Amino acid sequence: MAPPPIHGGADGVTTTTTSQSLSADEIALYDRQIRLWGAQAQERIRSANILLISLRALGTEIAKNLTLAGISSLTVVDDEAVTEEDLGSQYFLREGDIGQARAQVAIPRLQELNPRVAIKSGGSLSDLLSKDQTYYAPFDCVIACDHDFMTLSIINTAARFASRPFYAAGIHGFYGYIFADLVGHDFVVERDKSNVATPIGTETLTRSVVSVTTKKENNGKNVEIVKKLEIYCPLILANSSPLPMDILSNRRKLRSVPPLLPCLRALFDFQRTYNRLPAHNSQDIAGFTALATTKSRELQLPPETLRADFLRSFIQNIGAEIVPTAAFVGGRLSEDVINVLGKREQPIQNFALFDGDALDGRIYSLFSPPPELAMQVDGLSGNNSMGMGMSQTDGIRQGGGMSNGDGIMPMTMQTGSGVMPDMAIENGLFDMSGGTPVNNNIGVAAPNSGADFDSASASASAAVNNGTSGVASTSAPAGSKVD
């Protein structure tokens, strides 16, 4: 199976980024991380352009981590005025900054961390939401933090049409989450060669082995280099996807699903309905509790999962920013972005949850086939309206011809004014009245088990806090545990 390219332009023409070899100064500056992921990965990181939307506590951590990692450029979209509350959670802000645009005052201080990185303001969020996929095409990754569900979905849609990796993340006091939609991402895993050959083909509904090669190291060890392809779905589908079948069919695993998952889904729905966060009054608490109970039932969780004490704690934490939570979630997201840019290790697929109160973190694959794959499963093949010719062996594109020859979603968004509507899709793939995909009548969850990443790895994940950004490689496939 030929992996879809990640660097396709908005017009479907593949663009390649060339980078010169690292200079002696860069090798010395980034020595620690080159030892972690190699010079070739560092060169990819060095040529990466990142779009970061929001510079609150979580965005500040991500901006710091990626700047220290040595990316090429960082564009920050955040024109909100600095408030007194910001000073307690964002260390690039000062008391004299109150009332000024957040990105404008923070960027010069952020720039001091690494003068080699070009850091600039990307304007306002409202301007960003009026742009189509052509704006996103020059970026290698798009990260949006602490926004409501519809804002995240609009940005996700535009990034996906531009075939650009997208991350959404947010924190609420002790709680946080990361969502990843990398469209189609190929990566390499190096491991000791075993006596059992690694088969080429489908591993899970979302992951396939593309190729396997071996090499012999100086110490005589035989190393296996496995290239894999992971496919993703957008946030609007993941938010309504069921849990993986191996969890639904296992009572023990189902009981271990944290109540944070239904509470996050309830929070997304509350924001869509009322365009705000729940207040600490009896009406909002009752409404949010009803939503969370509904979401828990939709996920088929046991009644005892959604406890009253957790609901009370979560509601009390909504909207709060705590620096340790921002540091952990921001470190984990930055680590994944760096692995994705370097094309090494298994990326997050696709929801990572962090409960700082219980010191617990888990990853769940909440996957439903996106429109281009749902159409395939529905039996469309050859030269259909989207120009896709796909086989139906495993629900994954098997090299069928897309009309533009590259890119997993070779579609353009057409609007009368060139401005994206509510979900920026006029081709009928989504029915925004209910927020559910019309063509996605499959509803099959990926058979990946929930993976644990212990809070003990927080220090490793957030190790980019030092001057050389030593991000530890703690990514793991779903179904594994990182200690």
Side-chain angles (χ1 to χ4, degrees):
M1 175 169 54
I6 298 304
H7 297 286
D11 58 357
V13 178
T14 301
T15 59
T16 57
T17 302
T18 59
S19 62
Q20 298 177 350
S21 298
L22 297 171
S23 66
D25 287 345
E26 288 175 311
I27 292 174
L29 178 63
Y30 303 124
D31 176 69
R32 280 188 60 193
Q33 52 202 53
I34 290 173
R35 292 172 186 269
L36 281 173
W37 50 67
Q40 187 177 31
Q42 183 62 40
E43 287 179 10
R44 293 194 187 104
I45 293 166
R46 194 264 305 268
S47 64
N49 302 307
I50 307 295
L51 176 63
L52 176 62
I53 306 159
S54 178
L55 203 61
R56 299 179 64 191
L58 179 56
T60 295
E61 287 288 340
I62 296 167
K64 175 203 66 177
N65 295 342
L66 296 180
T67 298
L68 291 173
I71 60 175
S72 175
S73 72
L74 178 68
T75 301
V76 181
V77 175
D78 192 336
D79 68 336
E80 290 189 13
V82 176
T83 65
E84 189 173 355
E85 288 76 14
D86 291 333
L87 304 182
S89 59
Q90 297 164 58
Y91 39 76
F92 290 125
L93 303 180
R94 307 290 183 268
E95 190 172 351
D97 300 330
I98 294 176
Q100 301 183 59
R102 195 180 287 147
Q104 291 288 359
V105 296
I107 284 175
R109 293 156 192 159
L110 184 61
Q111 184 72 75
E112 293 174 1
L113 296 178
N114 193 342
R116 296 174 181 270
V117 180
I119 306 174
K120 63 180 180 179
S121 172
S124 68
L125 177 63
S126 58
D127 287 343
L128 177 74
L129 296 181
S130 69
K131 300 181 185 298
D132 62 15
Q133 71 267 32
T134 57
Y135 174 82
Y136 295 83
F139 297 103
D140 296 277
C141 187
V142 178
I143 307 167
C145 303
D146 300 310
H147 291 293
D148 64 271
F149 180 80
M150 289 310 299
T151 298
L152 294 174
S153 294
I154 291 171
I155 298 169
N156 185 188
T157 300
R160 191 174 181 86
F161 272 90
S163 295
R164 290 298 178 262
F166 168 80
Y167 286 88
I171 60 171
H172 295 281
F174 288 110
Y175 308 104
Y177 76 92
I178 300 169
F179 167 76
D181 175 13
L182 309 183
V183 190
H185 175 67
D186 58 280
F187 60 97
V188 171
V189 176
E190 292 190 19
R191 59 197 182 196
D192 291 343
K193 191 178 186 320
S194 69
N195 295 328
V196 180
T198 300
I200 294 177
T202 302
E203 279 190 338
T204 71
L205 186 63
T206 63
R207 186 167 59 252
S208 297
V209 175
V210 178
S211 64
V212 180
T213 57
T214 58
K215 69 176 182 180
K216 197 161 195 173
E217 301 210 331
N218 294 333
N219 58 9
K221 264 189 180 180
N222 288 321
V223 175
E224 185 177 59
I225 304 170
V226 184
K227 185 175 182 179
K228 298 185 179 185
L229 169 68
E230 190 86 45
I231 59 172
Y232 288 77
C233 68
L235 177 63
I236 197 168
L237 294 187
N239 189 53
S240 58
S241 296
L243 286 162
M245 287 305 299
D246 70 321
I247 294 179
L248 290 175
S249 61
N250 187 308
R251 178 72 176 174
R252 180 183 59 81
K253 290 182 179 180
L254 201 58
R255 287 170 61 91
S256 70
V257 175
L260 180 57
L261 181 55
C263 282
L264 281 173
R265 287 191 170 185
L267 185 60
F268 286 152
D269 270 19
F270 190 98
Q271 287 181 293
R272 291 176 66 179
T273 303
Y274 301 103
N275 198 29
R276 61 177 175 84
L277 294 173
H280 294 166
N281 57 56
S282 57
Q283 184 177 356
D284 280 8
I285 291 173
F288 180 82
T289 300
L291 275 174
T293 302
T294 300
K295 296 303 177 183
S296 184
R297 288 172 180 164
E298 288 176 357
L299 288 164
Q300 302 182 46
L301 300 178
E304 62 270 19
T305 297
L306 199 61
R307 306 181 312 276
D309 60 332
F310 182 88
L311 266 171
R312 187 181 306 110
S313 176
F314 184 81
I315 292 172
Q316 290 172 345
N317 277 266
I318 289 176
E321 294 185 285
I322 298 179
V323 173
T325 305
F328 180 82
V329 176
R332 184 65 180 86
L333 189 151
S334 302
E335 174 196 12
D336 208 64
V337 169
I338 288 168
N339 281 335
V340 166
L341 294 176
K343 294 183 176 291
R344 299 184 64 84
E345 306 302 331
Q346 168 72 40
I348 292 173
Q349 172 68 271
N350 53 1
F351 254 104
L353 308 174
F354 175 65
D355 182 342
D357 191 27
L359 298 178
D360 182 48
R362 297 174 185 272
I363 299 175
Y364 292 100
S365 178
L366 304 175
F367 179 84
S368 289
E372 68 274 17
L373 295 183
M375 292 179 70
Q376 169 195 350
V377 178
D378 284 341
L380 294 181
S381 60
N383 296 321
N384 54 62
S385 60
M386 286 177 61
M388 294 186 292
M390 299 181 177
S391 67
Q392 301 181 41
T393 56
D394 55 9
I396 300 176
R397 182 167 68 91
Q398 297 294 322
M402 292 212 177
S403 60
N404 63 5
D406 52 37
I408 195 167
M409 286 188 71
M411 299 176 285
T412 57
M413 293 184 287
Q414 301 293 335
T415 66
S417 61
V419 176
M420 295 167 59
D422 283 346
M423 255 313 285
I425 297 181
E426 290 189 351
N427 55 16
L429 294 177
F430 290 96
D431 172 16
M432 284 312 301
S433 60
T436 55
V438 174
N439 288 334
N440 180 36
N441 56 7
I442 309 301
V444 179
N448 301 43
S449 61
D452 298 339
F453 56 100
D454 279 352
S455 58
S457 66
S459 59
S461 297
V464 288
N465 294 347
N466 57 66
T468 54
S469 180
V471 180
S473 179
T474 56
S475 297
S480 64
K481 185 178 180 66
V482 178
D483 294 318

